[in-house]
Amino acid sequence: MCIRDRVYFGLQMEALKERYPFIVQAFEAPGSELNFARARIFNDGCVLISHLLCQPSITSSSNHRSTTVSKTSLILSSNPIGSEGIKFLAEALKQNKTLTKLNLRLNLIDPVLCVD
């Protein structure tokens, strides 16, 4: 990834963190479950979740302490997530070794569009 792409990606992540602050807060919070049921997360929110799932640790914005990411359950039921968002999550799950439960019920996923 060239420097320009890294800068763009960094700016994109910052914009997503501003749009979905509750996602970042949930990753920073103690506990193993991430419950985003009915949270109105769209495909771009899945980009942020995927990015955070691939991080070994997250530095808290409030106290600047590093927290190890070890979430085991991700609940995304009843959100307007489409096939594009699911592709990002699928890529993140290839790297994340702690997540054991994923709930995607009642989303806008078209299984035909998820096949590459």
Side-chain angles (χ1 to χ4, degrees):
M1 184 183 291
C2 72
I3 292 174
R4 184 189 66 204
D5 292 341
R6 286 184 191 157
V7 169
Y8 174 74
F9 184 75
L11 292 174
Q12 181 186 23
M13 282 302 114
E14 290 306 312
L16 288 174
K17 287 177 182 178
E18 287 179 20
R19 180 173 178 184
Y20 297 107
F22 60 93
I23 292 177
V24 177
Q25 291 165 356
F27 271 88
E28 292 173 350
S32 60
E33 182 177 271
L34 295 165
N35 188 347
F36 300 122
R38 296 177 190 85
R40 303 214 24 92
I41 294 174
F42 294 84
N43 289 330
D44 61 344
C46 287
V47 172
L48 177 59
I49 291 170
S50 300
H51 174 72
L52 294 172
L53 282 173
C54 293
Q55 302 302 308
S57 64
I58 297 173
T59 303
S60 172
S61 55
S62 59
N63 62 12
H64 303 290
R65 289 191 166 180
S66 183
T67 305
T68 302
V69 176
S70 59
K71 305 299 184 181
T72 59
S73 176
L74 176 59
I75 301 168
L76 289 167
S77 58
S78 302
N79 281 290
I81 298 170
S83 302
E84 284 300 313
I86 296 309
K87 288 180 183 179
F88 286 106
L89 287 174
E91 285 301 313
L93 293 176
K94 291 177 184 177
Q95 293 180 21
N96 182 290
K97 303 299 181 206
T98 61
L99 200 67
T100 58
K101 179 182 174 187
L102 177 62
N103 183 333
L104 296 169
R105 284 185 51 234
L106 303 174
N107 278 285
L108 304 173
I109 304 163
D110 184 349
V112 174
L113 296 176
C114 291
V115 177
D116 279 1

